Amino acid sequence: MGWKEKGMSLLELKNVYKIYGDLHALDDVNLKVEKGEWLAIMGPSGSGKSTMMNIIGCMDKPTSGQVILDGADIAHESSRSLTRIRRDKIGLIFQQFHLVNYLTAVENVMVAQYYHSMPDEKEALEALKRVGLAERAKHLPSQLSGGEQQRVCIARALINYPQLILADEPTGNLDEANQNMVIDIFKQLHAEGRTIVVVTHDPEVAEVAQRTIVLEHGKFAREIKNNA
């Protein structure tokens, strides 16, 4: 499947604010992410990273501004509509994994299929094979290491062929070996032309992306072009 379409924006934030009382969690943010681009978002605690991720991931709405995903402004859609958009267009990868404890690895991947279309065990097994977990498909999360659980999360995020892969601190709970394994998977996905946005505090993770934006106090402080 061809994922990369040069020169076309998949995601755009225009004059986005998120205000809680006197706090401007996001303050007039403008951002454009091209199809096939790999972007990292960095910043200290309280900089607005999580707020931005929640808005990009259709888990929250801005106070004002536009959020254009795949050509449509989704900023003021209903919560039900945002759930559908998130299900159909976004693959989410979380730091805390969010696996169902009583389901096997392959069943956890199939859960995402269930909410999208129709569970397909063969397809789910292929997704696990892709992240190096074919032999662990029938294991419960408690029987998997942290790195293996994160790779299940990646397989789950990819199973419905999302237009945008959005990862929140995907290596935050991993040792160096598993961190490198996860980064290698992202490199492979990017080489295929997938659009990836990674929120991270780790400079080593950020510098692998094509571009890094640094948030401070809800605003863009600077942008770094990486040698990706």
Side-chain angles (χ1 to χ4, degrees):
M1 185 175 294
W3 293 96
K4 188 172 290 187
E5 298 177 53
K6 296 279 190 181
M8 295 184 65
S9 295
L10 176 63
L11 173 70
E12 191 168 359
L13 276 60
K14 295 183 177 181
N15 308 114
V16 167
Y17 289 83
K18 184 65 178 182
I19 301 171
Y20 302 97
D22 294 330
L23 173 65
H24 283 55
L26 292 178
D27 193 352
D28 196 21
V29 166
N30 291 275
L31 172 68
K32 186 178 288 189
V33 181
E34 305 296 336
K35 290 185 178 181
E37 184 178 9
W38 184 353
L39 173 73
I41 301 172
M42 293 192 72
S45 179
S47 62
K49 298 193 309 295
S50 295
T51 301
M52 179 178 287
M53 177 176 171
N54 287 339
I55 288 173
I56 293 173
C58 298
M59 294 174 284
D60 199 1
K61 293 184 276 190
T63 304
S64 62
Q66 292 179 283
V67 181
I68 300 168
L69 178 63
D70 195 28
D73 186 0
I74 63 170
H76 305 293
E77 293 283 350
S78 67
S79 295
R80 184 173 183 177
S81 180
L82 287 176
T83 298
R84 176 183 54 76
I85 294 165
R86 183 171 66 247
R87 179 194 68 199
D88 292 346
K89 296 182 182 291
I90 300 171
L92 288 166
I93 300 167
F94 299 98
Q95 179 181 3
Q96 301 297 336
F97 312 141
H98 295 302
L99 299 176
V100 181
N101 291 331
Y102 57 83
L103 297 181
T104 64
V106 70
E107 289 168 342
N108 266 285
V109 175
M110 291 168 67
V111 166
Q113 293 177 306
Y114 174 81
Y115 287 111
H116 184 268
S117 52
M118 185 72 71
D120 183 333
E121 184 172 4
K122 183 178 178 182
E123 192 175 15
L125 286 169
E126 281 296 316
L128 286 174
K129 181 179 179 181
R130 174 154 194 202
V131 297
L133 289 177
E135 303 301 317
R136 310 289 278 171
K138 299 300 183 181
H139 286 65
L140 295 171
S142 61
Q143 299 169 312
L144 301 173
S145 70
E148 288 170 336
Q149 290 184 61
Q150 187 59 289
R151 283 185 279 153
V152 174
C153 291
I154 294 172
R156 182 181 61 187
L158 297 176
I159 193 66
N160 295 322
Y161 303 99
Q163 292 172 291
L164 174 65
I165 299 168
L166 181 59
D168 180 21
E169 301 283 7
T171 62
N173 288 332
L174 306 182
D175 59 29
E176 184 177 357
N178 280 295
Q179 172 176 302
N180 291 337
M181 194 175 297
V182 168
I183 289 173
D184 285 344
I185 293 171
F186 279 119
K187 286 180 178 178
Q188 181 182 354
L189 293 169
H190 179 243
E192 295 171 2
R194 301 277 193 140
T195 308
I196 304 170
V197 175
V198 177
V199 176
T200 183
H201 70 279
D202 189 336
E204 291 185 18
V205 175
E207 70 184 11
V208 186
Q210 290 174 289
R211 180 166 62 108
T212 301
I213 57 170
V214 180
L215 284 172
E216 292 181 4
H217 307 295
K219 292 179 175 286
F220 284 173
R222 61 189 181 277
E223 179 177 321
I224 304 164
K225 295 288 181 70
N226 301 320
N227 296 319

